[in-house]
């Protein structure tokens, strides 16, 4: 993995659909599992530097562990 210089920070936010496994018991959601092995397909730019999108998608899809999960807005 290529380390970026801190002198030139680049940031982009994108979103894409991933499959989830949802378990419901007696009308209540008891578990949601994001199937994160799914390749990034059709990413939608949200904010940041659009020229960095392709590189960011490659970095997100290179097998590295994800730093955290956040659900909802």
């Amino acid at each position: 993995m290529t380390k970026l210089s801190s002198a030139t920070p680049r940031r982009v936010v994108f979103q894409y659909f991933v499959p989830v496994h949802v378990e419901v018991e007696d009308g209540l959601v008891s578990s949601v599992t994001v199937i994160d092995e799914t390749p990034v397909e059709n990413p939608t730019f949200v904010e940041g530097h659009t020229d960095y999108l392709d590189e960011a998608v490659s970095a997100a899809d290179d097998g590295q562990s994800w730093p955290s999960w956040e659900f909802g807005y």
Side-chain angles (χ1 to χ4, degrees):
M1 181 170 84
T2 303
K3 297 281 185 184
L4 299 176
S5 167
S6 61
T8 58
R10 295 179 293 165
R11 180 176 185 272
V12 66
V13 178
F14 64 91
Q15 61 188 27
Y16 66 101
F17 290 106
V18 296
V20 295
H21 176 95
V22 180
E23 295 179 35
V24 178
E25 295 177 16
D26 297 325
L28 296 174
V29 175
S30 59
S31 174
V32 176
T33 304
V34 176
I35 303 170
D36 63 348
E37 293 88 6
T38 303
V40 176
E41 293 181 356
N42 304 316
T44 302
F45 174 79
V46 176
E47 66 181 55
H49 298 282
T50 57
D51 57 341
Y52 181 45
L53 181 60
D54 290 339
E55 188 177 341
V57 168
S58 292
D61 207 20
D62 74 354
Q64 65 182 304
S65 59
W66 290 58
S68 66
W69 292 103
E70 182 178 325
F71 295 96
Y73 285 98

